[in-house]
Amino acid sequence: MAFQPVMNLVSGELEGYEALARWSHPDLGDVPPDVFIPLAEQLGLIGDVGLHMLESSYTQARQLQARLGRRMALAVNISPLHATDPKLLRAARRLIGAHPDIQLVLELTELALVGDDQATARALDLLVEAGAQLAVDDFGTGYSSISYLNRLPVSVLKIDRSFTCDLTDTRTLPLVQGVIAMAQAMGLQVIAEGIEDAATLTTLRHLGCHSGQGFLFSRPLPLSACLDALAAPEPKRSGSVRLVV
Ligand code: C2E
Ligand code: CA
Ligand code: CA
């Protein structure tokens, strides 16, 4: 497992972490999640992967939260195929109840696909009633419908890095500006993904985007490295670089 810090782009404070799955195979080496997650979905193993990620990320995030000394968010990626699993709801209820200083955020892609599926919509409602927040991952990519933003209990919108990496483009910039304005009008938190340089950070802050993550702050790191960064003096607290606000 690796953790990537999510930063408040205005105050420079750490808001929490996204937990990302890693697989180090003895023969194949590091297999990227873009390869093994779709495989797990095809093999019917994605529920086990999701539950394992949820349980272990909480175990590790408790150490991060204890060192941070205040409430923080923990984002876990969930396949839409897994959302209706009653075991997920039971685990989420138990973990949320046991760890009130950790705000669980469940990140889902392809919500447009589940928008019309009553069973999934009901499962997402129950997860939110249990205290989880729901984030739309990779917003702006994939399926075009956004009507699910009305129907599903979404509270966080993550702007895909294919937009953030291209903010100098005269068509991308107003698009991102419009997405941020729409999200804010709906009362949603916006997190920009894939912030790699200071110019992108400055532009996003001017557009009113309050949260973000990316290599500028820190790559996804193992728990030990995140704990070290939190223990470091103030300039290193965010992971690898301190924000200049
Ligand atoms: P994602 O959820 O959009 O995760 C963010 C990905 O962007 C991560 O790749 C991260 O390493 C990468 N990233 C972060 N900041 C930057 C940046 O500044 N620049 C660039 N170029 N990339 C950045 P990773 O870890 O390879 O994960 C790929 C995808 O695999 C994830 O995309 C997510 O969709 C999926 N995934 C990862 N872990 C899990 C999991 O536990 N469960 C499920 N269902 N999917 C997962
Ligand atoms: Ca994600
Ligand atoms: Ca994403």
Side-chain angles (χ1 to χ4, degrees), residues 4 18-22 32-34 36-37 41 46 49-50 53 76-79 107 109 137-138 158 160-161 193-196 213-216 218-220:
Q4 186 176 39
E18 177 176 1
L20 292 154
R22 294 288 178 262
D34 289 336
F36 69 78
I37 294 291
E41 286 177 340
I46 195 66
V49 172
M53 284 297 293
V76 178
N77 293 279
I78 292 292
S79 164
E107 298 194 1
T109 51
D137 209 347
D138 303 342
K158 297 191 77 170
D160 189 66
R161 70 171 179 272
E193 301 185 309
I195 304 174
E196 292 187 355
Q213 58 193 100
F215 294 170
L216 175 65
S218 172
R219 286 179 180 261

Short mmCIF file of all heavy atoms in Angstrom, two decimals, residues 4 18-22 32-34 36-37 41 46 49-50 53 76-79 107 109 137-138 158 160-161 193-196 213-216 218-220, ligand 1:
data_model
loop_
_atom_site.label_atom_id
_atom_site.label_comp_id
_atom_site.label_asym_id
_atom_site.label_seq_id
_atom_site.Cartn_x
_atom_site.Cartn_y
_atom_site.Cartn_z
N GLN A 4 -0.78 8.84 -0.64
CA GLN A 4 -0.42 10.13 -1.22
C GLN A 4 -1.16 11.24 -0.45
O GLN A 4 -2.38 11.19 -0.31
CB GLN A 4 -0.78 10.20 -2.70
CG GLN A 4 -0.28 11.51 -3.33
CD GLN A 4 -0.52 11.59 -4.83
OE1 GLN A 4 -1.56 11.16 -5.32
NE2 GLN A 4 0.45 12.15 -5.54
N GLU A 18 -4.67 9.62 0.30
CA GLU A 18 -5.34 8.61 -0.53
C GLU A 18 -4.51 7.34 -0.46
O GLU A 18 -3.29 7.36 -0.67
CB GLU A 18 -5.45 9.08 -1.99
CG GLU A 18 -6.07 7.98 -2.87
CD GLU A 18 -6.31 8.40 -4.32
OE1 GLU A 18 -5.98 9.54 -4.69
OE2 GLU A 18 -6.84 7.55 -5.08
N ALA A 19 -5.18 6.22 -0.14
CA ALA A 19 -4.50 4.92 -0.10
C ALA A 19 -4.53 4.30 -1.49
O ALA A 19 -5.59 4.23 -2.12
CB ALA A 19 -5.20 4.00 0.90
N LEU A 20 -3.38 3.87 -1.98
CA LEU A 20 -3.29 3.28 -3.32
C LEU A 20 -2.68 1.88 -3.23
O LEU A 20 -1.68 1.68 -2.53
CB LEU A 20 -2.45 4.19 -4.23
CG LEU A 20 -3.11 5.54 -4.53
CD1 LEU A 20 -2.09 6.61 -4.86
CD2 LEU A 20 -4.12 5.39 -5.67
N ALA A 21 -3.28 0.96 -3.94
CA ALA A 21 -2.84 -0.43 -3.87
C ALA A 21 -1.53 -0.61 -4.64
O ALA A 21 -1.31 0.01 -5.68
CB ALA A 21 -3.91 -1.34 -4.46
N ARG A 22 -0.67 -1.46 -4.11
CA ARG A 22 0.60 -1.79 -4.77
C ARG A 22 0.76 -3.31 -4.77
O ARG A 22 0.34 -3.98 -3.85
CB ARG A 22 1.79 -1.17 -4.01
CG ARG A 22 1.80 0.35 -4.04
CD ARG A 22 2.18 0.85 -5.43
NE ARG A 22 2.16 2.30 -5.56
CZ ARG A 22 1.14 2.98 -6.05
NH1 ARG A 22 0.05 2.37 -6.46
NH2 ARG A 22 1.21 4.29 -6.17
N PRO A 32 1.69 -2.54 -12.00
CA PRO A 32 0.92 -1.31 -11.73
C PRO A 32 -0.57 -1.61 -11.46
O PRO A 32 -1.11 -2.57 -12.02
CB PRO A 32 1.06 -0.49 -13.01
CG PRO A 32 1.79 -1.31 -13.99
CD PRO A 32 2.18 -2.61 -13.37
N PRO A 33 -1.20 -0.79 -10.60
CA PRO A 33 -2.63 -1.03 -10.31
C PRO A 33 -3.51 -0.92 -11.54
O PRO A 33 -4.56 -1.55 -11.61
CB PRO A 33 -2.98 0.05 -9.28
CG PRO A 33 -1.84 0.98 -9.25
CD PRO A 33 -0.66 0.31 -9.82
N ASP A 34 -3.07 -0.11 -12.54
CA ASP A 34 -3.85 -0.04 -13.78
C ASP A 34 -3.93 -1.41 -14.47
O ASP A 34 -4.79 -1.64 -15.31
CB ASP A 34 -3.22 0.97 -14.75
CG ASP A 34 -3.40 2.39 -14.25
OD1 ASP A 34 -4.34 2.63 -13.48
OD2 ASP A 34 -2.58 3.26 -14.63
N PHE A 36 -3.40 -4.60 -12.44
CA PHE A 36 -3.96 -5.67 -11.59
C PHE A 36 -5.38 -5.37 -11.09
O PHE A 36 -6.11 -6.30 -10.77
CB PHE A 36 -3.02 -6.07 -10.45
CG PHE A 36 -2.79 -5.07 -9.35
CD1 PHE A 36 -3.74 -4.86 -8.36
CD2 PHE A 36 -1.60 -4.36 -9.28
CE1 PHE A 36 -3.52 -3.95 -7.33
CE2 PHE A 36 -1.37 -3.46 -8.25
CZ PHE A 36 -2.34 -3.25 -7.28
N ILE A 37 -5.78 -4.09 -11.04
CA ILE A 37 -7.16 -3.81 -10.60
C ILE A 37 -8.18 -4.32 -11.64
O ILE A 37 -9.11 -5.04 -11.29
CB ILE A 37 -7.36 -2.31 -10.28
CG1 ILE A 37 -6.51 -1.90 -9.06
CG2 ILE A 37 -8.83 -1.96 -10.06
CD1 ILE A 37 -6.93 -2.48 -7.72
N GLU A 41 -10.98 -7.27 -11.13
CA GLU A 41 -12.40 -7.12 -11.47
C GLU A 41 -12.86 -8.28 -12.34
O GLU A 41 -13.90 -8.90 -12.08
CB GLU A 41 -12.65 -5.78 -12.18
CG GLU A 41 -12.58 -4.60 -11.23
CD GLU A 41 -12.75 -3.24 -11.92
OE1 GLU A 41 -12.55 -3.16 -13.15
OE2 GLU A 41 -13.07 -2.26 -11.21
N ILE A 46 -12.25 -8.41 -6.92
CA ILE A 46 -12.13 -6.99 -6.57
C ILE A 46 -12.73 -6.70 -5.19
O ILE A 46 -12.26 -5.81 -4.47
CB ILE A 46 -12.74 -6.07 -7.67
CG1 ILE A 46 -12.29 -4.62 -7.46
CG2 ILE A 46 -14.26 -6.16 -7.72
CD1 ILE A 46 -10.83 -4.37 -7.64
N VAL A 49 -10.00 -7.47 -2.73
CA VAL A 49 -8.98 -6.42 -2.79
C VAL A 49 -9.49 -5.17 -2.06
O VAL A 49 -8.80 -4.58 -1.22
CB VAL A 49 -8.61 -6.07 -4.25
CG1 VAL A 49 -7.71 -4.84 -4.32
CG2 VAL A 49 -7.95 -7.26 -4.93
N GLY A 50 -10.73 -4.79 -2.35
CA GLY A 50 -11.31 -3.58 -1.75
C GLY A 50 -11.40 -3.69 -0.24
O GLY A 50 -11.04 -2.75 0.48
N MET A 53 -7.93 -3.52 1.22
CA MET A 53 -7.43 -2.13 1.18
C MET A 53 -8.08 -1.29 2.27
O MET A 53 -7.42 -0.48 2.93
CB MET A 53 -7.71 -1.51 -0.19
CG MET A 53 -6.80 -1.97 -1.30
SD MET A 53 -5.07 -1.54 -1.01
CE MET A 53 -5.13 0.25 -1.13
N VAL A 76 -10.17 5.91 0.06
CA VAL A 76 -9.94 4.53 -0.40
C VAL A 76 -10.69 4.36 -1.72
O VAL A 76 -11.84 4.78 -1.84
CB VAL A 76 -10.45 3.52 0.66
CG1 VAL A 76 -10.27 2.09 0.17
CG2 VAL A 76 -9.74 3.72 2.00
N ASN A 77 -10.02 3.78 -2.70
CA ASN A 77 -10.65 3.56 -4.01
C ASN A 77 -11.51 2.30 -3.98
O ASN A 77 -11.07 1.25 -3.51
CB ASN A 77 -9.57 3.42 -5.09
CG ASN A 77 -8.81 4.71 -5.29
OD1 ASN A 77 -9.27 5.60 -5.98
ND2 ASN A 77 -7.66 4.82 -4.64
N ILE A 78 -12.72 2.44 -4.46
CA ILE A 78 -13.65 1.31 -4.46
C ILE A 78 -14.17 1.11 -5.89
O ILE A 78 -14.56 2.07 -6.56
CB ILE A 78 -14.85 1.61 -3.51
CG1 ILE A 78 -14.38 1.65 -2.06
CG2 ILE A 78 -15.98 0.60 -3.68
CD1 ILE A 78 -13.94 0.32 -1.51
N SER A 79 -14.15 -0.13 -6.34
CA SER A 79 -14.73 -0.42 -7.64
C SER A 79 -16.26 -0.36 -7.53
O SER A 79 -16.82 -0.88 -6.58
CB SER A 79 -14.29 -1.81 -8.09
OG SER A 79 -15.11 -2.25 -9.13
N GLU A 107 -13.69 6.63 -2.96
CA GLU A 107 -13.54 7.18 -4.32
C GLU A 107 -14.04 6.16 -5.34
O GLU A 107 -13.59 5.02 -5.36
CB GLU A 107 -12.07 7.50 -4.60
CG GLU A 107 -11.51 8.56 -3.67
CD GLU A 107 -10.19 9.13 -4.15
OE1 GLU A 107 -9.70 8.72 -5.22
OE2 GLU A 107 -9.64 9.98 -3.43
N THR A 109 -14.96 5.64 -9.57
CA THR A 109 -15.00 6.13 -10.95
C THR A 109 -16.28 5.60 -11.58
O THR A 109 -16.98 4.78 -11.00
CB THR A 109 -13.80 5.59 -11.75
OG1 THR A 109 -13.75 4.19 -11.58
CG2 THR A 109 -12.50 6.20 -11.30
N ASP A 137 -14.18 9.99 -8.69
CA ASP A 137 -12.78 9.96 -9.12
C ASP A 137 -12.71 10.23 -10.63
O ASP A 137 -13.66 9.94 -11.36
CB ASP A 137 -12.21 8.57 -8.82
CG ASP A 137 -10.72 8.61 -8.55
OD1 ASP A 137 -10.09 9.64 -8.82
OD2 ASP A 137 -10.19 7.60 -8.05
N ASP A 138 -11.59 10.79 -11.07
CA ASP A 138 -11.33 10.99 -12.50
C ASP A 138 -12.46 11.76 -13.18
O ASP A 138 -12.85 11.45 -14.32
CB ASP A 138 -11.15 9.64 -13.23
CG ASP A 138 -10.05 8.80 -12.62
OD1 ASP A 138 -9.21 9.37 -11.90
OD2 ASP A 138 -10.04 7.58 -12.87
N LYS A 158 -13.25 14.89 -7.84
CA LYS A 158 -11.81 14.92 -8.11
C LYS A 158 -11.58 15.15 -9.60
O LYS A 158 -11.98 14.33 -10.44
CB LYS A 158 -11.16 13.60 -7.67
CG LYS A 158 -11.28 13.37 -6.17
CD LYS A 158 -10.42 12.23 -5.70
CE LYS A 158 -8.96 12.61 -5.60
NZ LYS A 158 -8.16 11.56 -4.92
N ASP A 160 -9.77 15.08 -12.91
CA ASP A 160 -8.77 14.16 -13.45
C ASP A 160 -7.49 14.89 -13.86
O ASP A 160 -7.53 16.03 -14.31
CB ASP A 160 -9.36 13.43 -14.66
CG ASP A 160 -8.44 12.31 -15.11
OD1 ASP A 160 -8.26 11.35 -14.35
OD2 ASP A 160 -7.87 12.44 -16.22
N ARG A 161 -6.38 14.18 -13.73
CA ARG A 161 -5.10 14.83 -14.01
C ARG A 161 -4.90 15.13 -15.50
O ARG A 161 -4.03 15.92 -15.85
CB ARG A 161 -3.94 14.05 -13.43
CG ARG A 161 -3.61 12.74 -14.07
CD ARG A 161 -2.29 12.21 -13.51
NE ARG A 161 -1.96 10.94 -14.09
CZ ARG A 161 -2.38 9.77 -13.62
NH1 ARG A 161 -3.15 9.73 -12.56
NH2 ARG A 161 -2.03 8.65 -14.22
N GLU A 193 -6.34 16.57 -9.08
CA GLU A 193 -5.33 15.50 -9.09
C GLU A 193 -4.17 15.90 -9.99
O GLU A 193 -4.33 16.71 -10.90
CB GLU A 193 -5.93 14.22 -9.68
CG GLU A 193 -7.13 13.68 -8.96
CD GLU A 193 -7.56 12.34 -9.55
OE1 GLU A 193 -7.73 12.25 -10.78
OE2 GLU A 193 -7.72 11.41 -8.76
N GLY A 194 -3.02 15.28 -9.75
CA GLY A 194 -1.91 15.39 -10.69
C GLY A 194 -1.25 16.75 -10.76
O GLY A 194 -0.81 17.18 -11.83
N ILE A 195 -1.16 17.46 -9.60
CA ILE A 195 -0.46 18.76 -9.60
C ILE A 195 1.05 18.48 -9.56
O ILE A 195 1.55 17.91 -8.60
CB ILE A 195 -0.87 19.61 -8.38
CG1 ILE A 195 -2.39 19.79 -8.34
CG2 ILE A 195 -0.16 20.96 -8.40
CD1 ILE A 195 -2.90 20.50 -7.09
N GLU A 196 1.71 18.86 -10.65
CA GLU A 196 3.13 18.52 -10.76
C GLU A 196 4.04 19.74 -10.68
O GLU A 196 5.25 19.59 -10.49
CB GLU A 196 3.39 17.76 -12.08
CG GLU A 196 2.73 16.39 -12.10
CD GLU A 196 3.11 15.56 -13.32
OE1 GLU A 196 3.81 16.09 -14.20
OE2 GLU A 196 2.68 14.40 -13.37
N GLN A 213 -3.71 17.17 -4.91
CA GLN A 213 -2.63 16.22 -4.65
C GLN A 213 -1.82 16.08 -5.93
O GLN A 213 -2.29 16.42 -7.02
CB GLN A 213 -3.19 14.86 -4.21
CG GLN A 213 -4.14 14.20 -5.19
CD GLN A 213 -4.90 13.02 -4.59
OE1 GLN A 213 -6.05 13.16 -4.20
NE2 GLN A 213 -4.26 11.86 -4.52
N GLY A 214 -0.60 15.60 -5.79
CA GLY A 214 0.24 15.44 -6.97
C GLY A 214 1.71 15.40 -6.58
O GLY A 214 2.07 15.62 -5.42
N PHE A 215 2.53 15.09 -7.59
CA PHE A 215 3.96 14.90 -7.33
C PHE A 215 4.63 16.16 -6.78
O PHE A 215 5.67 16.08 -6.15
CB PHE A 215 4.66 14.46 -8.63
CG PHE A 215 4.23 13.10 -9.14
CD1 PHE A 215 4.62 12.66 -10.41
CD2 PHE A 215 3.46 12.25 -8.36
CE1 PHE A 215 4.24 11.41 -10.88
CE2 PHE A 215 3.06 10.99 -8.82
CZ PHE A 215 3.46 10.58 -10.09
N LEU A 216 4.04 17.36 -7.04
CA LEU A 216 4.61 18.59 -6.48
C LEU A 216 4.71 18.49 -4.95
O LEU A 216 5.68 18.94 -4.35
CB LEU A 216 3.76 19.80 -6.86
CG LEU A 216 4.18 21.14 -6.26
CD1 LEU A 216 5.55 21.59 -6.78
CD2 LEU A 216 3.15 22.23 -6.57
N SER A 218 3.95 15.38 -3.07
CA SER A 218 4.54 14.09 -2.75
C SER A 218 4.04 13.03 -3.71
O SER A 218 2.87 13.03 -4.09
CB SER A 218 4.17 13.68 -1.32
OG SER A 218 4.59 12.36 -1.06
N ARG A 219 4.90 12.11 -4.07
CA ARG A 219 4.46 10.90 -4.74
C ARG A 219 3.77 10.01 -3.72
O ARG A 219 3.96 10.22 -2.51
CB ARG A 219 5.67 10.16 -5.32
CG ARG A 219 6.21 10.87 -6.53
CD ARG A 219 7.44 10.20 -7.13
NE ARG A 219 7.83 10.98 -8.29
CZ ARG A 219 7.52 10.69 -9.55
NH1 ARG A 219 6.84 9.59 -9.84
NH2 ARG A 219 7.89 11.46 -10.54
N PRO A 220 3.00 9.02 -4.14
CA PRO A 220 2.49 8.05 -3.18
C PRO A 220 3.67 7.34 -2.51
O PRO A 220 4.61 6.91 -3.19
CB PRO A 220 1.69 7.07 -4.05
CG PRO A 220 1.36 7.84 -5.29
CD PRO A 220 2.53 8.74 -5.52
P1 C2E B 1 -6.38 7.16 -9.18
O1 C2E B 1 -7.35 6.77 -8.13
O2 C2E B 1 -6.74 8.31 -10.07
O3 C2E B 1 -5.03 7.41 -8.40
C1 C2E B 1 -4.16 8.44 -8.69
C2 C2E B 1 -3.05 7.94 -9.58
O4 C2E B 1 -2.34 9.07 -10.07
C3 C2E B 1 -2.04 7.09 -8.83
O5 C2E B 1 -1.53 6.11 -9.73
C4 C2E B 1 -0.94 8.10 -8.50
O6 C2E B 1 0.32 7.52 -8.35
C5 C2E B 1 -0.98 8.96 -9.73
N1 C2E B 1 -0.50 10.31 -9.45
C6 C2E B 1 -0.64 11.02 -8.32
N2 C2E B 1 -0.11 12.25 -8.45
C7 C2E B 1 0.36 12.33 -9.72
C8 C2E B 1 1.02 13.37 -10.45
O7 C2E B 1 1.29 14.47 -9.99
N3 C2E B 1 1.34 13.08 -11.75
C9 C2E B 1 1.08 11.88 -12.32
N4 C2E B 1 1.46 11.70 -13.60
N5 C2E B 1 0.46 10.87 -11.66
C10 C2E B 1 0.10 11.11 -10.36
P2 C2E B 1 -1.53 4.59 -9.33
O8 C2E B 1 -1.17 4.43 -7.91
O9 C2E B 1 -0.70 3.92 -10.38
O10 C2E B 1 -3.04 4.17 -9.47
C11 C2E B 1 -3.65 4.07 -10.73
C12 C2E B 1 -5.12 3.79 -10.58
O11 C2E B 1 -5.34 2.46 -10.09
C13 C2E B 1 -5.83 4.69 -9.56
O12 C2E B 1 -6.07 5.92 -10.14
C14 C2E B 1 -7.07 3.88 -9.28
O13 C2E B 1 -8.04 4.07 -10.29
C15 C2E B 1 -6.55 2.45 -9.35
N6 C2E B 1 -6.32 1.98 -7.98
C16 C2E B 1 -5.23 2.13 -7.20
N7 C2E B 1 -5.40 1.55 -5.99
C17 C2E B 1 -6.67 1.03 -6.01
C18 C2E B 1 -7.47 0.32 -5.05
O14 C2E B 1 -7.07 0.04 -3.92
N8 C2E B 1 -8.73 -0.06 -5.46
C19 C2E B 1 -9.24 0.24 -6.69
N9 C2E B 1 -10.48 -0.17 -6.99
N10 C2E B 1 -8.51 0.92 -7.60
C20 C2E B 1 -7.25 1.31 -7.27
#
